[in-house]
Amino acid sequence: MATTTTHTTKQSTVDGANGGVQLRHLPLSRIVVPDGFNPRGEVVDDRELEQMAESIRRDGCLQPIRVRATEHGEFVLVAGERRYRAAVKAAVMELPAIIRPVGAGGEHEQADLLVEALIENDLRRELDGVARARGFQRLIDSGLTVKGVAERLQTTQSRVREHLRILKLPDALQRRVAAGEIPLRAVRALVQLGNVHPELASVAAGQVLNPGDRYEAYSWADVERAPLEVALAGGELPDGVYRPHTPYPITAFALSERAGKDLAAVERLLGRAVEEVRFDGSDLERARALGAAHGENWQAIIVGADVGAQLVGDYLARGVKELRRRARSEPERAGRTNAPVPESDNGEPADTENAAGASSSEQPADEARRAEREAERQAREQATRFNLELGRAVYTTLSRVRVDEAALKILASVQICGELADMAMRGARYGFPGWVSETTQKNGKTKYGYLEKSQAEHRASDYLRGAVKTGELVGRQIALLVMATYADQDAVAASNRSWHQVKASGPWAAELDELLDSLVADNLPDSALALLGPLLDKRRQEQQERAAARKAREDAAARLDGIEERMCELTIEQVDHAEEDLGRAWAGWTPRYSALREQLAERRQQLIASTGDQAAQVAAGQTE
């Protein structure tokens, strides 16, 4: 153990009081460490502290600590808490110390000491952003302004404010800032998200820190540019944050007593349970009026569980009125259908037989037409909901993708930009956020409006031009293709539909459907995949059927290989099989297949003729 020189100190209340700054050795027993004063935070008993203790045992403390004398004969530690803790751990009795004279000990004195500690630690680069921010906050709590802190520390006010924002982040994100994983430039955007909802900042940070394998990773520059876009790209949102056109279980909302009664009434009138609800454009505007809606178009969200419950309650109240109105109108229509038969001038029924026949034949026809119109209305509503939810999910998750082999094969197989107007009309105009207009009518229903072809092409061009990074250039084209492939055209009348068909060409054309389905399954959120499930299953079955047919054609072609050389040996049964294989393998006219078909026909005639001659000989008794 290294020896430590002991200097006798006068046990007086005026140690260090009558002079300037002194350098002396002090007993550890007379040094006081104020709670929470270290700008670096709590000293942790770790490996680094153990190494420092071993160094002090061996060589002594080479760098003095800094203390302030007090009127009570003690010395308050200003800087060097880790050296002090290491000395205690090393069991030495004294430490070299630079002693400031006794001060007033008030707020100004405390501020001076904290400024000194901040400067010393900052000069040694031992303060991370969080520790520095806490030091700044301590100075403000002691009575200084932001300007005063900046002047005392000889820094800028913007730097002080930049650091103070860190303290508004959740503790978990503050630790990431301290570790250098989150840069200071991203803190402002994260705080803005936290003001919208406390957990959104963590969601956005997770998109950068833990991007996973599905997307091209977002950067902190993206967070600075569009924080809400980054937060919403992950699919899963905190409780109490809702997207328009996304289904939510009605059990997720704390309904009022009135809303509960309306729910029971709606279920009774419908004859079934109501399991989920969706917020549409009118709900978004109501939430905006309450100050609870944030963002625009596909980035729009409704924040607040209480707001969500209120919107659901309003929706149920409107639903009860509408269903009761329909229930009242049904007997009226039935009454008109079953109106009494008019009488003739003499009081007899006017052509009773014909009138009865007309009534009995028209009533089923009217009911059939009403049923057909109702089925069309329900199909249109279902298709509209499907497209809006699919469009939001596609816009959110596929506008930026990881550029890999599958994505490049997809783009190489379809002329997306060459058919941009048709592509947008077939898909994106039905569901991309902001592309579909929503108008609330007097009866409370929502009317949806869709873009014309020139408008859709213009929107699609702007959408593609908005891409900045490679993942966006690729992703936005794929997003248009996905919508053109999966969107449901039943949302509009047949006269307003686009009958454009996505055409694939090139070496990977046969793989396009499988590649696209796989990309969608890997990227879209679970809610959208549940919506797409039946369609994906149907497409998967069709792909399997096409693959089986392709395999059958290949096998048939393989069996026909070299059959010309064996033609004279074929039996009638083998000719039959060969003609079947020729039908399976036929993929358009080729000289070889045409010639082969003729050869098989000739061989069949030869076998028939040969069989006929043999049968005649048997009949004449010339052969056994």
Side-chain angles (χ1 to χ4, degrees), residues 124-142:
R124 295 205 310 267
R125 300 177 182 243
E126 293 183 355
L127 290 183
D128 57 60
V130 176
R132 193 176 297 113
R134 288 173 180 160
F136 292 166
Q137 186 61 52
R138 286 282 303 279
L139 288 173
I140 289 176
D141 292 342
S142 71

Side-chain angles (χ1 to χ4, degrees), residues 148-454:
V149 172
E151 289 175 348
R152 295 291 295 273
L153 294 175
Q154 297 183 357
T155 186
T156 63
Q157 294 183 48
S158 61
R159 183 169 183 261
V160 174
R161 291 193 182 93
E162 180 183 54
H163 280 75
L164 290 175
R165 285 193 204 100
I166 300 173
L167 303 181
K168 298 179 180 180
L169 294 175
D171 291 343
L173 294 189
Q174 289 188 32
R175 290 193 291 270
R176 294 289 189 117
V177 173
E181 298 174 17
I182 298 178
L184 287 178
R185 68 176 190 273
V187 170
R188 179 195 292 269
L190 293 175
V191 169
Q192 291 173 353
L193 285 174
N195 292 335
V196 173
H197 188 280
E199 296 179 32
L200 280 179
S202 298
V203 173
Q207 289 291 92
V208 181
L209 297 171
N210 306 296
D213 298 328
R214 297 189 299 176
Y215 316 111
E216 181 186 46
Y218 281 97
S219 65
W220 293 117
D222 294 322
V223 174
E224 293 178 75
R225 173 181 57 83
L228 190 56
E229 173 186 334
V230 177
L232 297 182
E236 296 297 328
L237 294 179
D239 292 340
V241 180
Y242 312 101
R243 302 177 190 265
H245 310 299
T246 300
Y248 293 98
I250 200 162
T251 54
F253 301 93
L255 300 181
S256 66
E257 182 179 356
R258 176 71 261 176
K261 292 180 179 178
D262 287 339
L263 174 60
V266 168
E267 292 180 335
R268 185 172 60 255
L269 290 166
L270 289 175
R272 59 178 174 81
V274 176
E275 297 180 351
E276 61 183 33
V277 293
R278 303 166 190 256
F279 299 117
D280 60 17
S282 61
D283 294 316
L284 184 64
E285 292 310 312
R286 291 187 185 93
R288 201 177 297 282
L290 296 172
H294 303 268
E296 300 291 339
N297 297 330
W298 71 277
Q299 296 182 18
I301 54 174
I302 297 171
V303 178
D306 54 340
V307 175
Q310 180 178 336
L311 293 175
V312 172
D314 294 343
Y315 163 78
L316 292 171
R318 295 194 304 271
V320 170
K321 291 181 180 179
E322 176 63 17
L323 290 171
R324 286 175 176 166
R325 184 191 65 78
R326 291 184 191 177
R328 286 193 300 268
S329 64
E330 287 296 333
E332 295 175 4
R333 285 198 296 267
R336 288 193 295 269
T337 303
N338 298 324
V341 178
E343 297 181 351
S344 63
D345 294 339
N346 59 6
E348 295 294 330
D351 194 3
T352 306
E353 182 177 351
N354 291 338
S359 175
S360 61
S361 62
E362 290 176 4
Q363 183 174 352
D366 289 342
E367 292 177 354
R369 282 192 294 270
R370 284 197 300 272
E372 184 179 354
R373 286 195 297 270
E374 178 63 17
E376 290 175 353
R377 184 190 65 78
Q378 291 181 3
R380 188 162 53 252
E381 289 182 356
Q382 183 177 355
T384 299
R385 290 195 300 268
F386 174 91
N387 290 337
L388 290 172
E389 183 174 347
L390 176 65
R392 182 202 58 76
V394 169
Y395 202 120
T396 302
T397 57
L398 297 185
S399 289
R400 181 190 184 106
V401 299
R402 186 182 298 277
V403 182
D404 55 13
E405 179 182 347
L408 294 177
K409 283 182 176 179
I410 289 172
L411 289 189
S413 301
V414 183
Q415 296 296 322
I416 296 173
C417 293
E419 301 176 352
L420 190 58
D422 290 324
M423 195 76 69
M425 281 292 286
R426 176 58 186 85
R429 69 158 179 151
Y430 294 127
F432 266 12
W435 292 37
V436 182
S437 63
E438 301 179 20
T439 306
T440 303
Q441 299 175 300
K442 292 182 179 179
N443 60 5
K445 292 184 179 180
T446 301
K447 181 179 180 181
Y448 297 94
Y450 299 95
L451 302 176
E452 299 295 333
K453 190 169 185 176
S454 59

Side-chain angles (χ1 to χ4, degrees), residues 20-35:
V21 175
Q22 303 178 33
L23 174 61
R24 294 166 50 189
H25 278 72
L26 292 178
L28 266 62
S29 60
R30 298 181 63 189
I31 299 173
V32 177
V33 182
D35 291 336

